[in-house]
Amino acid sequence: MRWALVKVCLAVTTMVVVAFAVPLGLVVKEMARDRAFSNAGREAAAVAPALSITTDRDKLERVVASAGADAGMAVHLPAGDGRSALDVGRQRATARDIQAVRKLGRASTTSVAGGSTLLQPVALGSGDIAVVEVYVPESEVSNGVGTAWAVLAGVGLALIVGSVAVADRLGVRMVRPAQRLVQGAHALGEGRLGARVPEDGPAELRFAAVAFNSMADQVVQLLANERELAADLSHRLRTPLTVLRLNAASLGAGPAAEQTRAAVAQLEREVDTIIRTAREAKPQTAAPGPGAGCDAAEVVRERMEFWSALAEDEGRTWRVAGVERPVRIPVVRADLAAALDALLGNVFRHTAEGTAFAVDVHNAEDAVIVLVSDAGPGIADPEAAMARGRGSGSAGSTGLGLDIVRRLAESTGGDVRVGSSVLGGAEVRIWFQLDGGKPARRGHRGSVRRRRSGKPVPTGLDH
């Protein structure tokens, strides 16, 4: 592209220079010729008054000499009044040309050896016509023409060189952004996800760079979301794994029971490895569009029915409230079910058998609050519990449970709070904003409610 632009500019500038310089050079040449013959005409006119007074050779020779052109001027007098034809000075024009000018009565030019001559007719007192011949050498006709042409050629060459330089700079300005765009595309294709392109250059290439950077950001975000999805899906496997582990623990002794417990433990380790591998990606949960969502009351009833069987096996008392009427929230049904399973799984995993728990749904005008509480010992560091990937440090803890819940709430403009429950243990309050805006009263993300003493309330939930 760069050399193509230079070639086009070179061709165009050359044509323009030729189109203007050649006619201008011809005009300069014609002007020099006109100047030379104008000077010759003035020299001939200086002799005319003397011819009207006298035709004496000596006097005419002195007049010619005084005109300063004795070597280049001649006077031709016709015969008459008892005198013969008289020629003063060196004759260069032919007698035929002189006779033709005398007959026509107007000035004429003719070519001679070494230049041209101006033949100027002058009327004598006797009525005859004399002819004044002024020699104009070729050097005088072309005087200054060579210099003028050289100047025109220099100006034309300078214009061509300047246009090529400007075209080259413009080509660089256009080619460099394109080259950076190509390099960025290659870098991104090779897996360097941080590759970006400077947004400069011509408008079209600048828009292309903006589009490329936006595409690269989307690719990075899509990869992050894929990794996040892998982590979240893997974390959802922990709920049935918890049930399998508890059921395997009740199998008693024996080779089959030991093999089952070993297989469940191995499966838990594999799931933990998958989660830890994928958990570094930054999560992003998009809020669903208008009309999307689910009935929170129905989802809560369904998940509590699932967990009630295990609760009865472990002697846990449980309670659910606020699910008598439909409660619409702007989240996907599967995501809400996964969040509830993560919280209820924490209750079963990290509290002793027989520990009570409850799920309450509160439907306000602009928000829906889901409370999951238990009567366990509590969390030693609630703020660390909200940090993604931290975990409680116990076996099977990946640190993604509360993070999944938090991101689901924040996708609606809500948040999650960890505090103490009326049962004496942990309480996780999920705030779903119905209009997508910020609630009127909400703490910082993952805020922790404290006792009057200012110390965090210990709970038993993992995250």
Side-chain angles (χ1 to χ4, degrees), residues 40 43 64 68-74 89-90 92 116-118 132-137:
E43 292 178 3
V64 171
D70 53 335
M73 181 182 291
R90 179 183 175 183
R92 291 180 173 83
S116 302
T117 59
L118 172 65
V132 179
E133 178 184 349
V134 180
Y135 174 63
V136 181

Side-chain angles (χ1 to χ4, degrees), residues 189-441:
E190 292 172 356
R192 295 194 291 256
L193 301 182
R196 296 297 183 272
V197 178
E199 299 173 0
D200 56 7
E204 293 79 5
L205 293 177
R206 188 166 61 251
F207 295 152
V210 171
F212 175 85
N213 292 337
S214 177
M215 178 198 68
D217 293 338
Q218 292 179 9
V219 168
V220 171
Q221 188 60 58
L222 286 174
L223 292 176
N225 290 343
E226 289 294 332
R227 298 178 66 185
E228 185 61 38
L229 179 61
D232 290 349
L233 292 178
S234 301
H235 191 276
R236 293 181 186 183
L237 295 176
R238 298 207 55 80
T239 298
L241 281 176
T242 301
V243 178
L244 289 176
R245 180 169 56 83
L246 295 176
N247 290 338
S250 62
L251 292 178
E258 292 299 330
Q259 291 178 359
T260 302
R261 284 191 284 270
V264 171
Q266 177 65 26
L267 184 57
E268 283 188 320
R269 286 192 296 271
E270 294 295 337
V271 170
D272 290 345
T273 301
I274 295 174
I275 295 175
R276 289 192 176 93
T277 302
R279 70 183 182 181
E280 295 180 358
K282 184 178 180 180
Q284 176 178 345
T285 303
C294 66
D295 182 0
E298 179 184 357
V299 176
V300 170
R301 289 196 303 267
E302 176 187 336
R303 301 320 299 161
M304 288 301 293
E305 181 179 355
F306 171 82
W307 288 97
S308 62
L310 184 57
E312 292 177 1
D313 290 341
E314 296 187 358
R316 298 175 183 266
T317 59
W318 56 274
R319 175 180 57 82
V320 61
V323 295
E324 296 80 12
R325 295 181 299 176
V327 180
R328 298 292 302 180
I329 58 175
V331 297
V332 180
R333 178 188 183 91
D335 291 343
L336 178 60
L340 289 173
D341 286 342
L343 295 179
L344 294 174
N346 281 339
V347 173
F348 281 84
R349 187 178 302 112
H350 301 290
T351 61
E353 294 185 7
T355 302
F357 67 96
V359 178
D360 299 272
V361 178
H362 299 277
N363 189 7
E365 182 179 353
D366 60 348
V368 171
I369 301 174
V370 178
L371 301 177
V372 178
S373 55
D374 65 73
I379 298 177
D381 190 354
E383 291 184 357
M386 297 302 301
R388 175 176 177 80
R390 291 283 297 275
S392 64
S394 60
S397 175
T398 61
L400 292 179
L402 285 179
D403 187 71
I404 295 174
V405 178
R406 175 183 59 78
R407 289 188 297 107
L408 182 64
E410 288 182 347
S411 69
T412 68
D415 67 357
V416 175
R417 301 178 184 180
V418 177
S420 60
S421 69
V422 295
L423 299 179
E427 176 187 88
V428 179
R429 179 189 296 258
I430 314 173
W431 186 304
F432 296 105
Q433 189 72 8
L434 297 181
D435 56 1
K438 293 183 178 181
R441 292 174 298 178

Side-chain angles (χ1 to χ4, degrees), residues 15 39 63 83 88 99 138-139 145 158 186 203-204 218 321 324 329 333 336 339 370 372 395 409 425 439 441:
M15 289 189 293
N39 293 335
V63 170
R83 57 176 169 73
V88 179
Q99 187 60 32
E138 189 65 30
S139 59
V145 175
H186 283 306
E204 293 79 5
Q218 292 179 9
E324 296 80 12
I329 58 175
R333 178 188 183 91
L336 178 60
V370 178
V372 178
R441 292 174 298 178

Side-chain angles (χ1 to χ4, degrees), residues 32-120:
R33 178 182 176 82
D34 292 342
R35 182 182 66 251
F37 281 99
S38 296
N39 293 335
R42 285 193 295 271
E43 292 178 3
V47 180
L51 290 174
S52 62
I53 298 174
T54 181
T55 57
D56 183 69
R57 172 185 287 274
D58 295 336
K59 293 181 178 179
L60 290 177
E61 288 179 349
R62 287 195 297 271
V63 170
V64 171
S66 64
D70 53 335
M73 181 182 291
V75 178
H76 307 286
L77 299 176
D81 294 337
R83 57 176 169 73
S84 60
L86 177 65
D87 294 317
V88 179
R90 179 183 175 183
Q91 178 180 342
R92 291 180 173 83
T94 63
R96 183 178 178 180
D97 291 335
I98 295 173
Q99 187 60 32
V101 170
R102 185 178 287 127
K103 182 178 180 179
L104 292 174
R106 62 173 181 269
S108 177
T109 59
T110 182
S111 298
V112 296
S116 302
T117 59
L118 172 65
L119 300 177
Q120 178 70 43

